[in-house]
Amino acid sequence: MNLDSPLQCILPVESDHATTKSYLRAMERLLLVVQELSLARCLEEIMQIVRVATRELTGSDGSTFVLRDNGYCYYADEDAIAPLWKGQKFPINSCVSGWAMLNHRPAVIEDIYKDDRVPIDVYRATFVKSLVMVPIRTLEPLGAIGTYWANYYQPRIEEVKLLQALADTTAVALENVLVHSELEQRVRDRTATLEATNNRLQQEINLRTASEAEVRRISLTDELTGLNNRRGFFVLAEKQLKKAHKKNRPIHLLFIDLDGLKYINDHFGHDMGDVAIIGAATILKQTFQESGIVARLGGDEFVVFIQGNQCDCDHFLEQLQNAINHFNQTQNQPFQISMSIGVQAHDPTQPISLDDLITLADVKMYQNKRAKRANR
């Protein structure tokens, strides 16, 4: 059998009608296989198509799909009447599939026991008597396709050509899968890169947002007490004042001065003065935080913005005095907390600015402080 010339699928020159008809059916099946292989997107699909088609095209008893693997022949798949070598590896120079790859042409063996290319010990336990092994691509083969017969069989040249045509088509399919896999991997890599970039950007956005929120909080918060500072108070109280005007709700503004802070600083030190300021802030938080806006304007001065009528305000003032008494009785400090308070009520039907409310409450606070001193 002359197989040195390029294999071309042609009709047998000398053949009977039955042979020609069988060959044409095989060609039709090969065309369908070519279409199936063109749609395959993974190695498993290719092997499944080829292992079935190999037996159909040759009427053989078994087929194998062999891959070239770093100097070895890996029998990756098979379809046979009895087990062959699926999952096993053999050195490329010790098996028939390796011979077909190394020599870039089919190996046609009518009797395995009479061909020195066959490792008899490996074949002895199988059903194989005859075989054909064709390389998957004759130039730099990727693997090989083997077909086997349980009885001695001399394959026709047309059958070998069909197998080689199948192998050549398989090579194209494998290359397509490789390209497709590389493209998919590039897409996955690109997607992963974009996701990583998006995650990094989102983290930066979150960090920037958190930083901006922290800067805003710091800009609105008194560092020593954690209360609103003057700016924070104006931001919040201005909104509440507008709502009170809009909904005709009465409000009260309390201007509060911590009594005796200079005495505490002079006699116990400025650290203890800070303790007194923090204590006063804690008392104000406990009394007004859920119902009003509390702030430290600076030094020993505090303000509270609350909504409600005079009765509500009197109730809060009573709670405030109780909180002061409780602090003085339980904190065991070398000083007593005392506060001078100015209360400015506001009729929402008469618009007024927050600055004016603070000024009026401040005046009343000093009046009350002077009165307290006069009564001592």
Side-chain angles (χ1 to χ4, degrees):
M1 183 180 296
N2 181 16
L3 296 173
D4 293 333
S5 59
L7 294 174
Q8 299 175 347
C9 291
I10 58 173
L11 287 174
V13 177
E14 297 180 0
S15 61
D16 56 27
H17 179 71
T19 301
T20 302
K21 188 173 181 180
S22 174
Y23 185 78
L24 289 175
R25 283 198 302 268
M27 285 296 296
E28 290 175 355
R29 177 68 181 109
L30 180 61
L31 290 175
L32 292 176
V33 172
V34 170
Q35 295 180 47
E36 293 174 7
L37 288 173
S38 69
L39 299 174
R41 287 296 175 263
C42 66
L43 176 60
E44 288 71 20
E45 288 183 38
I46 293 174
M47 292 192 300
Q48 181 180 3
I49 294 168
V50 172
R51 76 188 184 202
V52 174
T54 299
R55 292 190 62 183
E56 290 181 352
L57 290 173
T58 61
S60 61
D61 300 305
S63 65
T64 58
F65 193 103
V66 185
L67 292 173
R68 191 169 188 169
D69 184 12
N70 293 323
Y72 285 85
C73 297
Y74 173 58
Y75 284 70
D77 204 358
E78 65 185 30
D79 181 8
I81 59 175
L84 293 169
W85 309 281
K86 182 177 179 179
Q88 298 185 51
K89 282 186 178 182
F90 301 96
I92 195 169
N93 56 3
S94 68
C95 56
V96 180
S97 58
W99 186 94
M101 285 185 262
L102 293 174
N103 289 274
H104 309 278
R105 60 194 182 94
V108 181
I109 300 175
E110 183 179 358
D111 186 347
I112 64 168
Y113 296 101
K114 295 181 180 180
D115 197 304
D116 58 8
R117 293 174 293 182
V118 179
I120 296 300
D121 291 339
V122 176
Y123 276 76
R124 199 181 302 280
T126 70
F127 65 85
V128 179
K129 297 292 190 298
S130 303
L131 69 87
V132 174
M133 188 72 67
V134 294
I136 299 175
R137 193 172 68 188
T138 54
L139 182 63
E140 297 182 1
L142 303 169
I145 297 172
T147 186
Y148 309 92
W149 288 268
N151 298 311
Y152 293 109
Y153 181 74
Q154 175 63 54
R156 300 187 306 275
I157 189 171
E158 291 79 15
E159 292 176 314
V160 179
K161 290 179 178 180
L162 283 172
L163 284 175
Q164 188 62 66
L166 173 62
D168 292 340
T169 303
T170 301
V172 175
L174 287 172
E175 290 171 350
N176 288 340
V177 165
L178 179 61
V179 171
H180 183 75
S181 298
E182 288 179 350
L183 289 175
E184 284 190 333
Q185 187 60 49
R186 289 182 184 180
V187 171
R188 286 193 294 269
D189 292 344
R190 181 60 175 164
T191 300
T193 300
L194 290 174
E195 288 178 352
T197 301
N198 287 337
N199 289 337
R200 186 169 61 254
L201 289 174
Q202 188 59 53
Q203 290 174 356
E204 292 176 358
I205 291 172
N206 292 341
L207 181 61
R208 182 178 299 176
T209 301
S211 299
E212 291 174 350
E214 180 63 13
V215 170
R216 176 176 172 79
R217 186 194 67 79
I218 292 173
S219 71
L220 301 176
T221 304
D222 177 61
E223 183 178 359
L224 178 63
T225 64
L227 295 177
N228 296 300
N229 59 18
R230 182 181 184 88
R231 182 171 181 271
F233 177 77
F234 270 81
V235 168
L236 298 175
E238 287 281 10
K239 293 179 181 178
Q240 293 302 316
L241 183 60
K242 290 179 180 178
K243 288 183 179 179
H245 287 157
K246 186 175 182 180
K247 298 183 178 181
N248 288 325
R249 291 178 179 174
I251 61 171
H252 289 78
L253 193 137
L254 283 60
F255 196 102
I256 302 168
D257 185 80
L258 176 61
D259 296 331
L261 180 61
K262 184 177 185 304
Y263 177 85
I264 295 172
N265 286 331
D266 292 344
H267 288 78
F268 305 111
H270 286 273
D271 287 344
M272 195 57 65
D274 287 346
V275 172
I277 292 172
I278 293 171
T282 301
I283 292 170
L284 293 172
K285 282 181 187 177
Q286 294 171 346
T287 306
F288 297 104
Q289 191 167 33
E290 294 184 0
S291 305
I293 303 169
V294 185
R296 180 189 178 207
L297 295 185
D300 55 2
E301 296 179 338
F302 301 86
V303 288
V304 179
F305 182 101
I306 56 175
Q307 296 189 30
N309 53 33
Q310 186 62 48
C311 184
D312 296 325
C313 183
D314 292 341
H315 174 70
F316 281 122
L317 291 173
E318 183 180 350
Q319 285 186 320
L320 174 58
Q321 189 57 55
N322 291 336
I324 292 172
N325 294 338
H326 182 266
F327 179 91
N328 290 331
Q329 293 168 7
T330 60
Q331 293 302 308
N332 193 28
Q333 297 290 352
F335 56 83
Q336 294 283 295
I337 290 289
S338 174
M339 299 181 185
S340 295
I341 304 172
V343 180
Q344 178 62 47
H346 173 59
D347 181 355
T349 62
Q350 303 296 321
I352 191 173
S353 70
L354 190 58
D355 274 320
D356 289 343
L357 272 177
I358 292 174
T359 299
L360 293 172
D362 187 15
V363 170
K364 289 186 177 182
M365 184 275 294
Y366 274 106
Q367 291 173 350
N368 292 335
K369 185 182 281 287
R370 284 197 299 270
K372 186 186 292 187
R373 287 172 180 171
N375 292 330
R376 287 177 182 174

